[in-house]
Amino acid sequence: MMKRELVIIGAGPAGLAAALAAYDNGIRDILIIEREKRAGGILNQCIHDGFGLHKFKEILTGPEYAYRYLKKVQERKIEIMTSTIVTELRAEKYLKVINEEIGILEFKADAVVLAMGSRERTAGGISLPGERMAGVYTAGLTQNLMNLQNIKVGNNIVILGSGDIGLIMARRLTLEGANVKAVLEIMPYSNGLNRNINQCLIDFNIPLKLSHTVIDVKGKDRLESIIVTEVDENLRAIPGSEYEIECDTLILSVGLIPENELSKQADVQIDDITGGALVKDNLETNVPGIFACGNVLHIHDLVDYVSDEAENAGQAAAKYIKSGHKWRKNNIFVEAGDGINYVIPQLITLGKDLEFSMRVKKPASDKTIKILNNNELIAKNTFKKVNPSEMIKINLAKEKLLSLKTASIKVVVE
Amino acid sequence: MIKEKEITCILCPNGCDIKITYTSQEIQGIDGATCSKGNDYAKQEFENPVRTLTSSILVKGGDSDLVSVKTDEPIPLEKIMSIMEILKTFEVKAPVMVGDVLLENPADLNCKLIATREIKRK
Ligand code: SF4
């Protein structure tokens, strides 16, 4: 068994940024474990642009964004072990991994950063009736096949779900000559960024059908058509509104789920809403020395924010390695109140400037996000528009928390 | 006759709804932007929308069959499909470095096609 100071699981944007931050905070013995052949994670297949505006003040494509981080990691000679799968992670920061060439290896780390990213929700996860047949793909898989493996998925296409990957794929498929007949969204609003609705759908005259979903799929071995229905405000099918769309391919873009199987093995506590770990303001989980960042913690819409978050995790891991675990006093719980879906971190401490990431439940305009303690206002921020698809960040200066009445604060939108 | 067109500004998360009033292609007024960047954006979108094209092309002898590419400048939206047509049959040889110029002035446009990904020789 090999001893390492810091082991980072995943060499996507979160893992790379966490490694850089740990290095720049004095840690030299760092190992990044990556299951794919290349570092870069999901960015490798995100060949469209729109990344980096916040971090680099430039608009980059996904592979370019990954490359900038990878270069810095290589300059610092940080070790990345590719084609390696972690099969076991324990709370004592013990890891068992399998490398394609070397075989099984065991590590004992002082600290671990979880940066495994997310996986896609599949048809099974969203209860799609009809038989399993060829021609039904998830959006991320379609993206991988098209952009990395040069495999075309079909000609006549319907996309279910208007999340960003679905919108991006609507454009990508159109550019490559496919006929994208519609994007269906069960909610009365889109889950994608405005920019993507404009540049991916409106630019190419692809209809976005809100409050619509698929109730059946038809075909023998290959998909031949789908039955679509309108839904009411309770998301129930409106009888009589069904119609058929002929298509050979249905692409599901129905969301991402943090990939936390390994975290659970290590007794990391998971938040039911985010699907990621419960974390303190230094992104440490309930297990001392195990930190989480990026999409494994909660789903982000901008990679720039993943990098920011991962830098905090890397820095905190470095601090942990150098000074050991300290039992924290003055813990304050953070609660997601009315209109707020979730807030990260869930546990904070006094004496620190804080940054919260959150999502609202519904789109709305002219709203105020308030931070309350014992129903008294301690901070607020107003927004012209709030949208579940856009993560909101709010900073809170440490002075604001000096005279708390109870050991919890609540975030609400009014 | 005065007509109206709605444009959503995409430059920042505010996503202002901007209304352009115009007569036979001449802009009369731009309304609804919170900042001046939005006015410029709406004018550009109205007169000549431009986009950066990203795609991928075939690469021979590399550790991957495709290399991702982009135009170094935004190009008119209406020209996007004609460049895609050219890219369909265009092929390069490995190795390719991020930032390499792979094609100059495709479809007589004033732009370059550059690689966004590194492809090593097989
Ligand atoms: S007009 Fe200005 S404030 Fe409004 S969305 Fe555009 S950039 Fe943002």
Side-chain angles (χ1 to χ4, degrees):
Chain A
M1 181 152 59
M2 280 168 278
K3 284 199 97 134
R4 302 297 297 242
E5 281 191 322
L6 176 60
V7 173
I8 297 172
I9 310 177
L16 295 176
L20 286 177
Y23 187 97
D24 294 345
N25 280 279
I27 304 301
R28 292 293 171 271
D29 179 18
I30 304 172
L31 170 66
I32 311 177
I33 298 174
E34 168 58 45
R35 72 177 163 200
E36 299 292 327
K37 278 207 270 303
R38 266 179 197 253
I42 199 76
L43 287 174
N44 287 332
Q45 66 184 63
C46 300
I47 65 169
H48 57 281
D49 70 353
F51 306 94
L53 199 54
H54 164 72
K55 283 305 247 190
F56 298 106
K57 308 282 170 264
E58 283 181 65
I59 298 178
L60 302 171
T61 63
E64 290 172 307
Y65 189 98
Y67 185 70
R68 295 221 175 169
Y69 275 88
L70 186 59
K71 240 179 19 194
K72 289 187 198 168
V73 166
Q74 286 166 345
E75 278 161 18
R76 287 165 179 75
K77 303 202 165 49
I78 297 171
E79 185 186 354
I80 306 180
M81 191 182 270
T82 54
S83 303
T84 306
I85 295 171
V86 178
T87 57
E88 199 179 330
L89 173 68
R90 286 200 228 129
E92 316 88 80
K93 278 126 2 203
Y94 159 91
L95 298 96
K96 190 190 256 182
V97 312
I98 301 180
N99 173 275
E100 235 172 60
E101 279 161 27
I102 312 170
I104 295 177
L105 293 166
E106 290 174 294
F107 298 102
K108 176 84 174 70
D110 291 337
V112 170
V113 174
L114 306 172
M116 294 89 83
S118 55
R119 63 183 148 78
E120 295 186 275
R121 251 183 248 279
T122 56
I126 58 146
S127 73
L128 184 71
E131 297 135 64
R132 303 241 150 195
M133 62 179 80
V136 182
Y137 298 87
T138 55
L141 176 62
T142 311
Q143 190 179 45
N144 185 293
L145 292 172
M146 284 187 83
N147 294 347
L148 296 179
Q149 305 183 51
N150 201 19
I151 296 170
K152 197 175 168 182
V153 293
N155 297 312
N156 289 302
I157 294 168
V158 174
I159 298 176
L160 175 62
S162 63
D164 287 309
I165 315 175
L167 300 177
I168 295 284
M169 289 319 293
R171 172 175 63 186
R172 184 84 197 107
L173 286 154
T174 308
L175 287 176
E176 292 292 348
N179 173 18
V180 180
K181 293 187 153 180
V183 174
L184 312 175
E185 171 59 59
I186 191 166
M187 302 303 284
Y189 52 84
S190 164
N191 284 310
L193 298 173
N194 246 330
R195 177 177 70 201
N196 289 333
I197 295 174
N198 275 273
Q199 302 200 346
C200 300
L201 300 188
I202 296 175
D203 276 4
F204 298 96
N205 300 314
I206 300 167
L208 170 61
K209 296 195 172 293
L210 300 175
S211 298
H212 276 69
T213 194
V214 177
I215 46 169
D216 204 2
V217 295
K218 292 190 168 173
K220 278 221 171 87
D221 303 320
R222 172 91 197 187
L223 184 67
E224 283 165 15
S225 72
I226 58 172
I227 309 293
V228 170
T229 181
E230 254 182 85
V231 299
D232 63 18
E233 58 271 30
N234 300 317
L235 309 183
R236 275 190 305 249
I238 299 174
S241 69
E242 311 82 30
Y243 59 97
E244 188 166 3
I245 305 180
E246 275 177 37
C247 57
D248 56 31
T249 307
L250 174 65
I251 292 175
L252 307 171
S253 174
V254 289
L256 302 171
I257 319 170
E259 178 122 52
N260 273 301
E261 278 61 33
L262 281 174
S263 324
K264 287 177 198 159
Q265 279 186 23
D267 303 324
V268 169
Q269 231 178 318
I270 303 295
D271 181 319
D272 288 340
I273 306 275
T274 59
L278 289 162
V279 287
K280 300 165 193 157
D281 45 62
N282 62 350
L283 301 173
E284 191 178 14
T285 66
N286 61 304
V287 181
I290 299 189
F291 299 78
C293 57
N295 276 359
V296 80
L297 178 57
H298 60 132
I299 303 301
H300 295 63
D301 34 81
L302 289 181
V303 69
D304 300 62
Y305 287 164
V306 168
S307 303
D308 278 347
E309 191 176 87
E311 280 163 23
N312 291 338
Q315 198 181 343
K319 202 166 163 194
Y320 176 92
I321 292 166
K322 284 188 287 189
S323 56
H325 184 67
K326 292 204 186 74
W327 187 249
R328 290 171 24 132
K329 285 187 211 146
N330 309 108
N331 284 318
I332 314 281
F333 296 93
V334 183
E335 197 187 320
D338 285 347
I340 301 286
N341 193 18
Y342 71 80
V343 187
I344 298 253
Q346 293 94 342
L347 199 62
I348 57 172
T349 188
L350 298 178
K352 256 174 109 177
D353 291 335
L354 298 162
E355 185 188 68
F356 295 101
S357 304
M358 63 195 72
R359 283 182 196 275
V360 295
K361 285 187 176 158
K362 287 195 299 233
S365 20
D366 298 313
K367 287 282 170 188
T368 304
I369 294 193
K370 296 181 174 170
I371 301 182
L372 308 172
N373 171 245
N374 203 23
N375 287 324
E376 281 167 36
L377 185 69
I378 51 175
K380 64 173 184 177
N381 229 327
T382 55
F383 293 85
K384 222 174 148 179
K385 280 186 186 176
V386 292
N387 214 313
S389 64
E390 282 168 28
M391 195 164 82
I392 296 169
K393 292 209 169 207
I394 290 184
N395 291 306
L396 189 65
K398 54 177 181 267
E399 295 75 29
K400 303 264 186 190
L401 292 176
L402 285 180
S403 53
L404 293 182
K405 300 238 165 58
T406 61
S408 77
I409 60 171
K410 185 158 51 170
V411 184
V412 298
V413 55
E414 281 173 5
Chain B
M1 199 180 78
I2 293 183
K3 291 189 213 154
E4 283 179 8
K5 190 179 162 111
E6 293 262 355
I7 289 170
T8 307
C9 180
I10 56 164
L11 299 181
C12 89
N14 270 340
C16 296
D17 293 319
I18 304 175
K19 200 188 283 171
I20 293 192
T21 45
Y22 62 100
T23 53
S24 55
Q25 294 301 303
E26 194 175 311
I27 296 181
Q28 299 287 315
I30 303 180
D31 223 20
T34 306
C35 76
S36 65
K37 277 198 292 182
N39 288 339
D40 298 343
Y41 172 80
K43 191 159 180 277
Q44 174 82 51
E45 274 293 290
F46 181 76
E47 287 170 350
N48 177 25
V50 293
R51 302 283 182 263
T52 299
L53 173 65
T54 61
S55 189
S56 56
I57 58 172
L58 290 167
V59 50
K60 273 259 153 76
D63 59 1
S64 168
D65 293 338
L66 293 171
V67 58
S68 52
V69 296
K70 71 174 183 184
T71 56
D72 64 337
E73 296 282 341
I75 57 169
L77 178 57
E78 61 192 36
K79 299 281 185 196
I80 287 208
M81 277 308 190
S82 53
I83 299 199
M84 284 306 295
E85 209 44 52
I86 295 171
L87 298 191
K88 242 189 222 170
T89 51
F90 187 65
E91 209 177 81
V92 294
K93 278 203 193 86
V96 180
M97 271 311 294
V98 177
D100 279 1
V101 175
L102 303 178
L103 189 61
E104 299 212 36
N105 309 104
D108 292 327
L109 286 168
N110 193 16
C111 73
K112 298 186 187 85
L113 193 73
I114 58 177
T116 57
R117 182 175 178 203
E118 182 183 5
I119 303 289
K120 297 196 175 95
R121 265 203 209 92
K122 197 158 25 189

